[in-house]
């Protein structure tokens, strides 16, 4: 083939190793909860009012938004409580699976959010959704040429599918087809980390970056 694009999500370190590349990304485990119907949300809908904006607040370190007739709360795990996934390779049982809830990891966030939005605590929980996705030391994807391998391209370390999918699809194809990008994408260049970005370094920086990005400054 003329070009090879690696876009293997949680398998990035393994597929990179097949090509002799140490990919500076590692999966973290994140989770959110969805509540049963919240009367205030139901009432807003009955009145034909628009969906409420997402609430992100340093006070509870997370995001809160409408989901169906209820609310969705996604707390950011702090460094000490953040769990990584597949540090030594994705286990064979893993497909696109979710894993068991870990309330303890974010009990602090729950205490805080319930003070700000008591309605969240007046209804039951419908679902917990917890799973792994890739993270890098600066929380940005690795998009662009692989180092030392002509015509091998990376779309790895993608920490958000909805957030980044369109951007990466567009600009990586543009780069390959046109030979360059119509805007500066160097912040995403996979070569921005040096040889120091081994697994131990990436593990620590990922935990630090995700675990502190919502902290009060
Ligand atoms: C709980 C949770 C909440 C999330 N919330 C959001 C959110 O609100 N917004 C958002 O934007 N994102 C969110 N995400 C993240 C999002 O799911 C991921 O960022 C996104 O799926 C990454 O896409 P990807 O294509 O890089 O990897 P993936 O979706 O993992 O796809 C990679 C594919 O490559 C395949 N593959 C691996 N190795 C090989 C190989 N050797 N050969 C061929 N194929 C291979 C895999 O089987 C897989 O199908 C969330 C994730 C979780 C778990």
């Amino acid at each position: 083939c003329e070009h090879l694009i690696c876009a293997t999500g949680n398998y990035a370190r393994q597929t990179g190793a097949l090509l002799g590349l140490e990919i500076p990304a590692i999966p973290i485990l994140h989770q959110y909860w969805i509540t049963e119907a919240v009367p205030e949300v139901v009432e807003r809908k009955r009145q034909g009012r628009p969906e409420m904006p997402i609430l992100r607040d340093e006070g509870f370190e997370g995001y809160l938004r409408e989901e169906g007739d209820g609310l969705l709360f996604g707390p950011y795990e702090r460094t000490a409580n953040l769990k990584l996934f597949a540090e030594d390779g994705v286990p064979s049982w893993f497909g696109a699976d979710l894993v068991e809830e870990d309330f303890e990891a974010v009990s602090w966030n729950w205490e805080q959010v319930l003070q700000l939005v008591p309605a969240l605590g007046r209804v039951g929980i419908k679902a917990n959704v917890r799973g792994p996705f890739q993270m890098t030391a600066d929380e940005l994807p690795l998009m662009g040429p692989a180092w030392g391998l002509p015509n091998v391209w990376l779309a790895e370390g993608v920490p958000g599918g909805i957030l980044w999918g369109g951007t990466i699809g567009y600009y990586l194809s543009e780069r390959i087809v046109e030979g360059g990008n119509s805007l500066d994408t160097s912040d995403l260049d996979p070569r921005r980390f040096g040889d120091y970005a081994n697994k131990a370094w990436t593990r620590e920086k990922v935990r630090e970056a995700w675990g502190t990005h919502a902290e009060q400054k």
Side-chain angles (χ1 to χ4, degrees):
C1 67
E2 252 182 86
H3 293 274
L4 176 69
I5 301 173
C6 292
T8 59
N10 296 311
Y11 296 82
R13 296 191 67 85
Q14 281 151 276
T15 43
L18 294 174
L19 296 165
L21 302 173
E22 173 139 24
I23 304 290
I26 209 154
I28 64 164
L29 282 165
H30 176 58
Q31 62 190 325
Y32 58 79
W33 280 264
I34 301 170
T35 70
E36 303 282 2
V38 173
E40 290 88 340
V41 173
V42 174
E43 178 57 19
R44 281 181 63 90
K45 288 188 162 183
R46 196 190 60 76
Q47 292 173 5
R49 299 179 69 186
E51 186 174 341
M52 289 183 285
I54 294 177
L55 177 62
R56 291 171 70 120
D57 194 285
E58 290 179 341
F60 58 70
E61 297 182 10
Y63 51 92
L64 181 66
R65 67 167 171 81
E66 277 185 44
E67 174 69 25
D69 285 341
L71 292 170
L72 181 155
F73 177 49
Y76 294 126
E77 298 80 1
R78 288 176 151 191
T79 298
N81 301 331
L82 178 63
K83 315 278 190 317
L84 303 179
F85 180 76
E87 285 182 68
D88 299 314
V90 178
S92 56
W93 54 261
F94 185 78
D97 302 84
L98 296 173
V99 299
E100 203 178 321
E101 171 180 317
D102 182 8
F103 179 77
E104 283 307 309
V106 289
S107 57
W108 177 87
N109 312 64
W110 267 105
E111 284 165 22
Q112 305 308 311
V113 75
L114 288 174
Q115 288 180 31
L116 195 67
V117 187
L120 187 60
R122 288 199 285 264
V123 293
I125 295 293
K126 190 158 81 178
N128 167 270
V129 179
R130 180 167 180 253
F133 56 82
Q134 286 288 300
M135 190 54 58
T136 63
D138 57 9
E139 303 189 296
L140 293 174
L142 306 162
M143 184 201 84
W147 50 98
L149 297 171
N151 293 345
V152 176
W153 305 88
L154 301 181
E156 298 286 24
V158 180
I162 296 166
L163 189 65
W164 283 105
T167 304
I168 291 179
Y170 182 87
Y171 286 104
L172 188 56
S173 349
E174 183 188 54
R175 176 90 182 248
I176 295 169
V177 174
E178 307 292 344
N181 280 136
S182 50
L183 55 74
D184 181 4
T185 58
S186 56
D187 279 355
L188 309 183
D189 195 303
R191 300 165 297 184
R192 66 187 181 275
F193 302 108
D195 290 345
Y196 56 83
N198 58 18
K199 186 159 85 174
W201 183 87
T202 302
R203 185 197 296 127
E204 290 317 305
K205 296 308 280 184
V206 158
R207 297 185 77 243
E208 179 188 314
W210 179 267
T212 57
H213 73 178
E215 262 179 26
Q216 292 186 35
K217 298 284 184 285

